Amino acid sequence: MTDSGADQHRPLADSPEASGARAGTGAPAAAAPEDGASHRGRGEKGESRGLSVPDICLDAGEEAEFIHPADLADHLENLSLEKRVCALRHMSTEDAAEALAELEGNAAVDVLENLDADVAAQIIAEMAPDDAADVLDELDEEHRDVLLERLTREDSEELRNLLNFDPDSAAGVMNTEIILLEHDLTVDEAIAHIRREMYADKESPYYGYVVDDHDMLVGVLSLRDLMLARPGTVVGDAVSGQNVVSVTYDTDKGEVANLLSHYNYLAMPVVDYEGHIMGVVTYDDIMDIIHDEASADMLGMVGADPEESVDTPWLESVRKRLPWLAVNMLNSALSASVVYMFEGTIAQMAVLAVLMPMVANQAGNTGQQALAVMIRQLATDRFDHRKAWKAVLREGKIGLATGLFMALASFLGAWWFTGNLMVGGVMGGAILCDMFLGAVAGGSIPLIFRALGRDPAQASSIFLTMLTDGAGFFIFLGLASLILF
C-alpha cells in the first residue's frame, strides 16, 4: 500500500505523474492546468475571466491573503451568488480552496455549480482530500463526474474511493494526507522526512505514524516525542510495545468523536481490518462532527430533518416536516378526545378548564428536562442495559421529588384561587402524578427509540407531549370526577 498522504491533488495535465510519499522518495510533481493558468502563490491576484467585473470581486480577491478562511467564508456567504462566484474566481487557487472548504454545504454547492468547470476543478484539486470529498458529495452525480474527470487519474481515484465510503463513518471524514515514517528510520531522518513532506505542501502534522514494510501501523509519535528523542534513536524502537489506539474505517463518526475526546488526541488513525493505515480523523473534523450531532439531535427532537438549514429550499422543508406534523396532529387528537370524555365534568365546573393546561404544561417541561439529559448522555457515552434503566429510575426519583414540591405549591395556589380545598387537592394530586410520569417518559423514550434501531432524538418531543398532555388531562379530570362530583 502506498502512502495515502500523497501530494495534494493537482489538475490534469499532459506531464507524467510523479510518485512518492514515503521517506526517501520525491514529492509528486505538480501538473499545470489544461487551460494554461498556473497555480499562484498565496495572495497573488488571479486573472480576470470576465469582461466586466464588480469592484467587490477584485477587492475580495486582493484581500483574501489577509483574512482568515473562516472569516472570508462568512463574508462570502453574505454576498449574492453572482458576487460570491466572481470573488472566488479572482482569488488565488489556494485562497479559493480554503474559503470553499469553510462555506456551508449548500453555499459551496451553489458556487461550484456556477463556476467554470476548469476553475472549479483547480479549486477542488487544491483542497485537502477530506474537504474536497465533502463538497463533491453534495453535488449531483453528473456534475461531480465532470469535475473528477479534470483531475489526474491518481487524484480522481483517491476522491472516488473516499466518496464510496459511508459519510457517517470514520473513512467518510478522514484525511488521507498523512506522514508515514518507516520503522527503521532514525529520529533525525524522520524529522528531515517530515520537513520534506511539509515543503511538498502537506497539512501540518500532529503525529508521525510509524509503519512496517507492509504499511501496518505499529506506533504513533508526536512531534514533541521526535524532537526530544535521543539522536540516532530508531523510531521503531521508540514505539516498541506501544498500545496504538486506532479505529477501523467503518466506525461511526460519532464514536470516533467520543474516542478522540476521551483520549484527548489531536488526531485518530483510521485503519482497515488488517491494520493498514488509511488516514486520520483530525480534531477540526471532530469539532464539526460534534456540532453536527448536536444540531441533528436538537432538530430531531421536534421532528425536523437533521440536515435542514435556513438555506434548504422551502418546498423540501415542507415535504420533510409534514409527516411529523401529521403525527403530532394525531397525538393532539388523542389528547382532545380525553378532554371530550369529561365534557360533563368541565360543564359543571368551568374553572377546571382554566387549571387543566397547567398540569400538562408542568409535566411536559419536566419530561423535556429528562429527555434532554438522556439524549445528551446517549450522544456522549455508551449505556449498557442495566445502567440505562438505572438512569430512568433516577429521573423518576427527580420527577417525584420536584413533583411533591410543585404539588404543594399548586395545591395552595388552586385553593386560594378557587376558594375550594378539594379543587386544590385535585390540582396538587394531578401535578404530582403527571410530573412523575413526564420524568419517566422523558428518560424512557430515547431508550425505546434506540432499542428499535432509530435515532434516540428523532421526534422524541412529539411523543413525550402526547403522553404528558393525554395523561395529564385524564388524571386531572378523572380525579375531579371522583372527588368533586
Side-chain angles (χ1 to χ4, degrees), residues 49-261:
R49 295 178 181 269
L51 297 177
S52 177
V53 183
D55 290 341
I56 192 170
C57 301
L58 294 174
D59 292 342
E62 292 172 348
E63 296 173 2
E65 176 185 5
F66 310 105
I67 304 175
H68 190 280
D71 294 329
L72 182 58
D74 288 341
H75 175 63
L76 290 174
E77 287 175 358
N78 291 326
L79 301 178
S80 67
L81 177 59
E82 180 184 4
K83 292 179 180 179
R84 194 182 304 160
V85 172
C86 186
L88 282 172
R89 289 172 60 184
H90 288 81
M91 295 179 194
S92 70
T93 309
E94 183 179 352
D95 290 329
E98 291 178 344
L100 187 66
E102 296 291 338
L103 287 175
E104 293 294 330
N106 289 332
V109 169
D110 290 341
V111 167
L112 284 180
E113 289 179 343
N114 287 275
L115 274 172
D116 176 77
D118 289 327
V119 177
Q122 292 178 48
I123 296 175
I124 289 293
E126 190 66 25
M127 297 174 70
D130 57 332
D131 293 331
D134 289 341
V135 174
L136 289 172
D137 189 49
E138 298 294 328
L139 294 174
D140 62 81
E141 187 174 355
E142 182 179 353
H143 195 179
R144 182 166 61 235
D145 289 338
V146 169
L147 297 181
L148 289 172
E149 287 171 0
R150 283 167 166 75
L151 303 176
T152 63
R153 183 178 61 183
E154 179 184 357
D155 296 335
S156 177
E157 288 178 355
E158 180 179 14
L159 287 176
R160 289 183 191 276
N161 287 335
L162 287 175
L163 289 167
N164 285 332
F165 290 115
D166 182 353
D168 292 328
S169 68
V173 295
M174 71 180 178
N175 189 349
T176 56
E177 290 186 335
I178 55 178
I179 295 180
L180 302 186
L181 304 175
E182 295 283 5
H183 65 98
D184 55 357
L185 292 177
T186 65
V187 293
D188 306 284
E189 292 171 332
I191 292 172
H193 172 58
I194 292 174
R195 187 176 293 115
R196 287 195 300 271
E197 291 289 284
M198 293 302 296
Y199 282 137
D201 209 18
K202 287 250 184 104
E203 287 192 2
S204 299
Y206 303 112
Y207 304 101
Y209 297 93
V210 184
V211 296
D212 62 15
D213 296 331
H214 304 288
D215 281 338
M216 302 278 287
L217 181 63
V218 296
V220 181
L221 285 174
S222 68
L223 298 187
R224 179 180 181 277
D225 292 336
L226 283 172
M227 296 299 296
L228 296 179
R230 187 184 301 275
T233 302
V234 177
V235 295
D237 296 336
V239 299
S240 178
Q242 188 180 88
N243 182 23
V244 181
V245 179
S246 62
V247 296
T248 54
Y249 65 89
D250 55 355
T251 303
D252 183 83
K253 66 180 183 181
E255 179 64 18
V256 179
N258 291 338
L259 287 172
L260 206 63
S261 176

Side-chain angles (χ1 to χ4, degrees), residues 112 123 132 175 282-283 322 376 452 477:
L112 284 180
I123 296 175
N175 189 349
T282 53
Y283 81 96
L322 271 178
R376 179 184 179 277
L452 295 174
L477 296 174

Side-chain angles (χ1 to χ4, degrees), residues 338-339 341-343 345-346 352 356 359 425-427 429-430 470-485:
V338 171
V339 176
M341 289 170 54
F342 294 94
E343 180 185 14
T345 302
I346 297 174
L352 296 178
M356 182 173 60
V359 177
V426 168
M427 186 67 178
F473 295 153
F474 183 83
I475 293 170
F476 178 70
L477 296 174
L479 286 176
S481 299
L482 292 173
I483 297 175
L484 299 177
F485 305 107

